[in-house]
Structure formats: C-alpha cells, structure tokens
Amino acid sequence: MVIQRLRAGVSDESPADQPETLVEALAVKRNVTVGVAVGVGVAAVAYAVRVFELFGPVVTTREYPVLGPEGWFFMLAVVFAVSTTLLVTLVLTGVRAAQLATEN
C-alpha cells in the first residue's frame, strides 16, 4: 500500500519543469523583490509624512545632534524599510511554503 502511494506521487515530468532548489520552489527571489518594493514605499511615505510635516508640525522641543531631524528620520526610515522588507518576504515565502505543502 505504501509503495502504491509512492508510485502515485512519482512524476514523469522533465526535470526542466521542476525547480532545482528549495529557494526556487519557494519563489524567494520574487518575494524579496516584492518585499523591497513594499519596504521602500512604506518607508518613503513615513519619511515624507514626518520630515515634510504633511499632517502639521510636530510640537516638541527636541534637539537632534549631529545629523539634524532629517538625518535621524532618514536612518529610521532605512531601518523601517529593511524590517518591512524582511517581514513581507517572510510572509510571502511562508504562504508559498503552505501552498506547496498542501498541493498533491
């Protein structure tokens, strides 16, 4: 009975149609591209809103040494972009892994 299940799962497809690595099967390259686009987009919007005061001025009396507020918020935007990129890539790869696990 086990052998019949194994034989049923064997495919006669050519190896060119099947991904060679797990990275290809999970479409990680595509997921990273989408993640970078989303991360940079979200960070750019957040940076623009804060630095250009699109929702009005911030009423605080805080000093930003060395770089000024734009420099500090740029560094924060870079961290935000990288974090968002990693999160989106992880979620998309997880969804793809779940799809491959449930395929028959």
PDB file of all heavy atoms in Angstrom, residues 48-73:
ATOM      1  N   ALA A  48       8.392  60.979   4.375  1.00  0.00           N
ATOM      2  CA  ALA A  48       7.808  62.207   3.823  1.00  0.00           C
ATOM      3  C   ALA A  48       6.804  62.822   4.790  1.00  0.00           C
ATOM      4  O   ALA A  48       6.791  64.040   4.990  1.00  0.00           O
ATOM      5  CB  ALA A  48       7.150  61.909   2.480  1.00  0.00           C
ATOM      6  N   VAL A  49       5.975  61.994   5.394  1.00  0.00           N
ATOM      7  CA  VAL A  49       4.980  62.500   6.337  1.00  0.00           C
ATOM      8  C   VAL A  49       5.655  63.180   7.520  1.00  0.00           C
ATOM      9  O   VAL A  49       5.253  64.264   7.938  1.00  0.00           O
ATOM     10  CB  VAL A  49       4.056  61.359   6.822  1.00  0.00           C
ATOM     11  CG1 VAL A  49       3.240  61.772   8.028  1.00  0.00           C
ATOM     12  CG2 VAL A  49       3.146  60.916   5.691  1.00  0.00           C
ATOM     13  N   ARG A  50       6.712  62.599   8.029  1.00  0.00           N
ATOM     14  CA  ARG A  50       7.366  63.154   9.214  1.00  0.00           C
ATOM     15  C   ARG A  50       8.248  64.350   8.896  1.00  0.00           C
ATOM     16  O   ARG A  50       8.158  65.386   9.556  1.00  0.00           O
ATOM     17  CB  ARG A  50       8.210  62.059   9.897  1.00  0.00           C
ATOM     18  CG  ARG A  50       8.953  62.513  11.105  1.00  0.00           C
ATOM     19  CD  ARG A  50       7.978  62.980  12.186  1.00  0.00           C
ATOM     20  NE  ARG A  50       8.671  63.422  13.371  1.00  0.00           N
ATOM     21  CZ  ARG A  50       8.969  64.692  13.643  1.00  0.00           C
ATOM     22  NH1 ARG A  50       8.629  65.636  12.814  1.00  0.00           N
ATOM     23  NH2 ARG A  50       9.605  64.991  14.756  1.00  0.00           N
ATOM     24  N   VAL A  51       9.061  64.260   7.886  1.00  0.00           N
ATOM     25  CA  VAL A  51      10.020  65.330   7.596  1.00  0.00           C
ATOM     26  C   VAL A  51       9.336  66.538   6.958  1.00  0.00           C
ATOM     27  O   VAL A  51       9.637  67.683   7.309  1.00  0.00           O
ATOM     28  CB  VAL A  51      11.163  64.804   6.706  1.00  0.00           C
ATOM     29  CG1 VAL A  51      12.034  65.940   6.191  1.00  0.00           C
ATOM     30  CG2 VAL A  51      12.004  63.824   7.499  1.00  0.00           C
ATOM     31  N   PHE A  52       8.420  66.309   6.035  1.00  0.00           N
ATOM     32  CA  PHE A  52       7.746  67.426   5.376  1.00  0.00           C
ATOM     33  C   PHE A  52       6.510  67.889   6.137  1.00  0.00           C
ATOM     34  O   PHE A  52       5.773  68.744   5.654  1.00  0.00           O
ATOM     35  CB  PHE A  52       7.398  67.061   3.933  1.00  0.00           C
ATOM     36  CG  PHE A  52       8.607  66.746   3.103  1.00  0.00           C
ATOM     37  CD1 PHE A  52       8.742  65.515   2.498  1.00  0.00           C
ATOM     38  CD2 PHE A  52       9.613  67.676   2.943  1.00  0.00           C
ATOM     39  CE1 PHE A  52       9.857  65.219   1.728  1.00  0.00           C
ATOM     40  CE2 PHE A  52      10.739  67.398   2.172  1.00  0.00           C
ATOM     41  CZ  PHE A  52      10.854  66.164   1.572  1.00  0.00           C
ATOM     42  N   GLU A  53       6.278  67.298   7.294  1.00  0.00           N
ATOM     43  CA  GLU A  53       5.181  67.676   8.195  1.00  0.00           C
ATOM     44  C   GLU A  53       3.850  67.737   7.445  1.00  0.00           C
ATOM     45  O   GLU A  53       3.130  68.728   7.504  1.00  0.00           O
ATOM     46  CB  GLU A  53       5.499  69.004   8.876  1.00  0.00           C
ATOM     47  CG  GLU A  53       6.736  68.927   9.746  1.00  0.00           C
ATOM     48  CD  GLU A  53       7.108  70.265  10.370  1.00  0.00           C
ATOM     49  OE1 GLU A  53       6.633  71.314   9.895  1.00  0.00           O
ATOM     50  OE2 GLU A  53       7.878  70.244  11.334  1.00  0.00           O
ATOM     51  N   LEU A  54       3.523  66.678   6.749  1.00  0.00           N
ATOM     52  CA  LEU A  54       2.305  66.629   5.945  1.00  0.00           C
ATOM     53  C   LEU A  54       1.037  66.671   6.796  1.00  0.00           C
ATOM     54  O   LEU A  54      -0.015  67.074   6.321  1.00  0.00           O
ATOM     55  CB  LEU A  54       2.315  65.378   5.060  1.00  0.00           C
ATOM     56  CG  LEU A  54       3.458  65.305   4.044  1.00  0.00           C
ATOM     57  CD1 LEU A  54       3.376  64.013   3.263  1.00  0.00           C
ATOM     58  CD2 LEU A  54       3.452  66.498   3.123  1.00  0.00           C
ATOM     59  N   PHE A  55       1.118  66.237   8.030  1.00  0.00           N
ATOM     60  CA  PHE A  55      -0.028  66.290   8.935  1.00  0.00           C
ATOM     61  C   PHE A  55       0.116  67.420   9.937  1.00  0.00           C
ATOM     62  O   PHE A  55      -0.496  67.399  10.993  1.00  0.00           O
ATOM     63  CB  PHE A  55      -0.211  64.960   9.674  1.00  0.00           C
ATOM     64  CG  PHE A  55      -0.622  63.828   8.777  1.00  0.00           C
ATOM     65  CD1 PHE A  55       0.043  62.622   8.810  1.00  0.00           C
ATOM     66  CD2 PHE A  55      -1.672  63.965   7.889  1.00  0.00           C
ATOM     67  CE1 PHE A  55      -0.334  61.574   7.989  1.00  0.00           C
ATOM     68  CE2 PHE A  55      -2.055  62.930   7.062  1.00  0.00           C
ATOM     69  CZ  PHE A  55      -1.381  61.732   7.115  1.00  0.00           C
ATOM     70  N   GLY A  56       0.927  68.399   9.623  1.00  0.00           N
ATOM     71  CA  GLY A  56       1.129  69.533  10.512  1.00  0.00           C
ATOM     72  C   GLY A  56       2.429  69.404  11.273  1.00  0.00           C
ATOM     73  O   GLY A  56       3.036  68.334  11.324  1.00  0.00           O
ATOM     74  N   PRO A  57       2.863  70.522  11.855  1.00  0.00           N
ATOM     75  CA  PRO A  57       4.141  70.497  12.575  1.00  0.00           C
ATOM     76  C   PRO A  57       4.056  69.694  13.875  1.00  0.00           C
ATOM     77  O   PRO A  57       3.004  69.601  14.498  1.00  0.00           O
ATOM     78  CB  PRO A  57       4.413  71.967  12.863  1.00  0.00           C
ATOM     79  CG  PRO A  57       3.076  72.614  12.813  1.00  0.00           C
ATOM     80  CD  PRO A  57       2.245  71.825  11.864  1.00  0.00           C
ATOM     81  N   VAL A  58       5.188  69.132  14.248  1.00  0.00           N
ATOM     82  CA  VAL A  58       5.286  68.397  15.500  1.00  0.00           C
ATOM     83  C   VAL A  58       5.626  69.412  16.583  1.00  0.00           C
ATOM     84  O   VAL A  58       6.558  70.182  16.460  1.00  0.00           O
ATOM     85  CB  VAL A  58       6.380  67.309  15.415  1.00  0.00           C
ATOM     86  CG1 VAL A  58       6.509  66.585  16.741  1.00  0.00           C
ATOM     87  CG2 VAL A  58       6.057  66.344  14.304  1.00  0.00           C
ATOM     88  N   VAL A  59       4.845  69.407  17.647  1.00  0.00           N
ATOM     89  CA  VAL A  59       5.029  70.397  18.698  1.00  0.00           C
ATOM     90  C   VAL A  59       5.884  69.784  19.804  1.00  0.00           C
ATOM     91  O   VAL A  59       5.389  69.371  20.840  1.00  0.00           O
ATOM     92  CB  VAL A  59       3.666  70.861  19.249  1.00  0.00           C
ATOM     93  CG1 VAL A  59       3.846  72.003  20.232  1.00  0.00           C
ATOM     94  CG2 VAL A  59       2.747  71.259  18.123  1.00  0.00           C
ATOM     95  N   THR A  60       7.175  69.712  19.553  1.00  0.00           N
ATOM     96  CA  THR A  60       8.105  69.244  20.582  1.00  0.00           C
ATOM     97  C   THR A  60       9.342  70.120  20.527  1.00  0.00           C
ATOM     98  O   THR A  60       9.662  70.719  19.508  1.00  0.00           O
ATOM     99  CB  THR A  60       8.534  67.778  20.350  1.00  0.00           C
ATOM    100  OG1 THR A  60       9.158  67.679  19.078  1.00  0.00           O
ATOM    101  CG2 THR A  60       7.352  66.837  20.429  1.00  0.00           C
ATOM    102  N   THR A  61      10.025  70.182  21.616  1.00  0.00           N
ATOM    103  CA  THR A  61      11.282  70.944  21.668  1.00  0.00           C
ATOM    104  C   THR A  61      12.413  69.962  21.890  1.00  0.00           C
ATOM    105  O   THR A  61      13.009  69.908  22.952  1.00  0.00           O
ATOM    106  CB  THR A  61      11.238  71.980  22.803  1.00  0.00           C
ATOM    107  OG1 THR A  61      10.945  71.293  24.015  1.00  0.00           O
ATOM    108  CG2 THR A  61      10.195  73.033  22.538  1.00  0.00           C
ATOM    109  N   ARG A  62      12.683  69.167  20.901  1.00  0.00           N
ATOM    110  CA  ARG A  62      13.709  68.146  20.985  1.00  0.00           C
ATOM    111  C   ARG A  62      14.871  68.534  20.095  1.00  0.00           C
ATOM    112  O   ARG A  62      14.681  69.065  19.016  1.00  0.00           O
ATOM    113  CB  ARG A  62      13.129  66.801  20.542  1.00  0.00           C
ATOM    114  CG  ARG A  62      14.135  65.686  20.509  1.00  0.00           C
ATOM    115  CD  ARG A  62      13.472  64.404  20.151  1.00  0.00           C
ATOM    116  NE  ARG A  62      13.008  63.819  21.390  1.00  0.00           N
ATOM    117  CZ  ARG A  62      12.334  62.685  21.463  1.00  0.00           C
ATOM    118  NH1 ARG A  62      12.017  62.044  20.391  1.00  0.00           N
ATOM    119  NH2 ARG A  62      11.962  62.199  22.618  1.00  0.00           N
ATOM    120  N   GLU A  63      16.079  68.252  20.550  1.00  0.00           N
ATOM    121  CA  GLU A  63      17.270  68.524  19.754  1.00  0.00           C
ATOM    122  C   GLU A  63      17.764  67.230  19.115  1.00  0.00           C
ATOM    123  O   GLU A  63      17.722  66.173  19.734  1.00  0.00           O
ATOM    124  CB  GLU A  63      18.363  69.117  20.637  1.00  0.00           C
ATOM    125  CG  GLU A  63      18.032  70.483  21.181  1.00  0.00           C
ATOM    126  CD  GLU A  63      19.160  71.062  22.007  1.00  0.00           C
ATOM    127  OE1 GLU A  63      20.316  70.652  21.800  1.00  0.00           O
ATOM    128  OE2 GLU A  63      18.872  71.901  22.857  1.00  0.00           O
ATOM    129  N   TYR A  64      18.236  67.337  17.893  1.00  0.00           N
ATOM    130  CA  TYR A  64      18.763  66.197  17.161  1.00  0.00           C
ATOM    131  C   TYR A  64      20.231  66.463  16.859  1.00  0.00           C
ATOM    132  O   TYR A  64      20.538  67.161  15.893  1.00  0.00           O
ATOM    133  CB  TYR A  64      17.982  65.977  15.862  1.00  0.00           C
ATOM    134  CG  TYR A  64      16.523  65.676  16.093  1.00  0.00           C
ATOM    135  CD1 TYR A  64      15.570  66.689  16.073  1.00  0.00           C
ATOM    136  CD2 TYR A  64      16.123  64.380  16.343  1.00  0.00           C
ATOM    137  CE1 TYR A  64      14.242  66.409  16.292  1.00  0.00           C
ATOM    138  CE2 TYR A  64      14.792  64.086  16.557  1.00  0.00           C
ATOM    139  CZ  TYR A  64      13.846  65.101  16.535  1.00  0.00           C
ATOM    140  OH  TYR A  64      12.529  64.814  16.754  1.00  0.00           O
ATOM    141  N   PRO A  65      21.126  65.916  17.657  1.00  0.00           N
ATOM    142  CA  PRO A  65      22.548  66.229  17.484  1.00  0.00           C
ATOM    143  C   PRO A  65      23.130  65.647  16.199  1.00  0.00           C
ATOM    144  O   PRO A  65      22.648  64.655  15.670  1.00  0.00           O
ATOM    145  CB  PRO A  65      23.200  65.582  18.713  1.00  0.00           C
ATOM    146  CG  PRO A  65      22.246  64.535  19.145  1.00  0.00           C
ATOM    147  CD  PRO A  65      20.883  64.992  18.742  1.00  0.00           C
ATOM    148  N   VAL A  66      24.139  66.280  15.707  1.00  0.00           N
ATOM    149  CA  VAL A  66      24.975  65.904  14.565  1.00  0.00           C
ATOM    150  C   VAL A  66      24.213  65.922  13.235  1.00  0.00           C
ATOM    151  O   VAL A  66      24.553  66.678  12.341  1.00  0.00           O
ATOM    152  CB  VAL A  66      25.669  64.534  14.766  1.00  0.00           C
ATOM    153  CG1 VAL A  66      26.565  64.207  13.594  1.00  0.00           C
ATOM    154  CG2 VAL A  66      26.423  64.478  16.071  1.00  0.00           C
ATOM    155  N   LEU A  67      23.200  65.099  13.058  1.00  0.00           N
ATOM    156  CA  LEU A  67      22.544  64.938  11.763  1.00  0.00           C
ATOM    157  C   LEU A  67      21.331  65.836  11.564  1.00  0.00           C
ATOM    158  O   LEU A  67      20.890  66.018  10.436  1.00  0.00           O
ATOM    159  CB  LEU A  67      22.106  63.486  11.579  1.00  0.00           C
ATOM    160  CG  LEU A  67      23.209  62.434  11.612  1.00  0.00           C
ATOM    161  CD1 LEU A  67      22.606  61.048  11.552  1.00  0.00           C
ATOM    162  CD2 LEU A  67      24.180  62.646  10.478  1.00  0.00           C
ATOM    163  N   GLY A  68      20.767  66.327  12.615  1.00  0.00           N
ATOM    164  CA  GLY A  68      19.517  67.072  12.498  1.00  0.00           C
ATOM    165  C   GLY A  68      18.344  66.115  12.363  1.00  0.00           C
ATOM    166  O   GLY A  68      18.512  64.906  12.220  1.00  0.00           O
ATOM    167  N   PRO A  69      17.127  66.640  12.396  1.00  0.00           N
ATOM    168  CA  PRO A  69      15.954  65.755  12.357  1.00  0.00           C
ATOM    169  C   PRO A  69      15.843  64.954  11.063  1.00  0.00           C
ATOM    170  O   PRO A  69      15.467  63.786  11.088  1.00  0.00           O
ATOM    171  CB  PRO A  69      14.774  66.705  12.519  1.00  0.00           C
ATOM    172  CG  PRO A  69      15.289  68.058  12.262  1.00  0.00           C
ATOM    173  CD  PRO A  69      16.757  68.041  12.522  1.00  0.00           C
ATOM    174  N   GLU A  70      16.191  65.559   9.927  1.00  0.00           N
ATOM    175  CA  GLU A  70      16.076  64.833   8.652  1.00  0.00           C
ATOM    176  C   GLU A  70      17.015  63.633   8.606  1.00  0.00           C
ATOM    177  O   GLU A  70      16.647  62.562   8.123  1.00  0.00           O
ATOM    178  CB  GLU A  70      16.367  65.766   7.469  1.00  0.00           C
ATOM    179  CG  GLU A  70      15.314  66.818   7.250  1.00  0.00           C
ATOM    180  CD  GLU A  70      15.510  68.034   8.153  1.00  0.00           C
ATOM    181  OE1 GLU A  70      16.583  68.150   8.789  1.00  0.00           O
ATOM    182  OE2 GLU A  70      14.575  68.850   8.234  1.00  0.00           O
ATOM    183  N   GLY A  71      18.227  63.787   9.119  1.00  0.00           N
ATOM    184  CA  GLY A  71      19.189  62.683   9.134  1.00  0.00           C
ATOM    185  C   GLY A  71      18.740  61.547  10.034  1.00  0.00           C
ATOM    186  O   GLY A  71      18.828  60.370   9.668  1.00  0.00           O
ATOM    187  N   TRP A  72      18.245  61.894  11.212  1.00  0.00           N
ATOM    188  CA  TRP A  72      17.781  60.852  12.137  1.00  0.00           C
ATOM    189  C   TRP A  72      16.565  60.124  11.592  1.00  0.00           C
ATOM    190  O   TRP A  72      16.447  58.903  11.705  1.00  0.00           O
ATOM    191  CB  TRP A  72      17.482  61.442  13.510  1.00  0.00           C
ATOM    192  CG  TRP A  72      18.731  61.793  14.256  1.00  0.00           C
ATOM    193  CD1 TRP A  72      19.273  63.020  14.408  1.00  0.00           C
ATOM    194  CD2 TRP A  72      19.618  60.872  14.909  1.00  0.00           C
ATOM    195  NE1 TRP A  72      20.442  62.944  15.130  1.00  0.00           N
ATOM    196  CE2 TRP A  72      20.677  61.638  15.451  1.00  0.00           C
ATOM    197  CE3 TRP A  72      19.625  59.492  15.085  1.00  0.00           C
ATOM    198  CZ2 TRP A  72      21.729  61.063  16.145  1.00  0.00           C
ATOM    199  CZ3 TRP A  72      20.664  58.929  15.787  1.00  0.00           C
ATOM    200  CH2 TRP A  72      21.698  59.702  16.310  1.00  0.00           C
ATOM    201  N   PHE A  73      15.661  60.862  10.983  1.00  0.00           N
ATOM    202  CA  PHE A  73      14.482  60.204  10.436  1.00  0.00           C
ATOM    203  C   PHE A  73      14.805  59.419   9.168  1.00  0.00           C
ATOM    204  O   PHE A  73      14.143  58.431   8.864  1.00  0.00           O
ATOM    205  CB  PHE A  73      13.353  61.205  10.206  1.00  0.00           C
ATOM    206  CG  PHE A  73      12.734  61.647  11.491  1.00  0.00           C
ATOM    207  CD1 PHE A  73      12.895  62.936  11.938  1.00  0.00           C
ATOM    208  CD2 PHE A  73      12.026  60.752  12.276  1.00  0.00           C
ATOM    209  CE1 PHE A  73      12.350  63.338  13.134  1.00  0.00           C
ATOM    210  CE2 PHE A  73      11.479  61.138  13.479  1.00  0.00           C
ATOM    211  CZ  PHE A  73      11.641  62.436  13.905  1.00  0.00           C
TER     212      PHE A  73
END
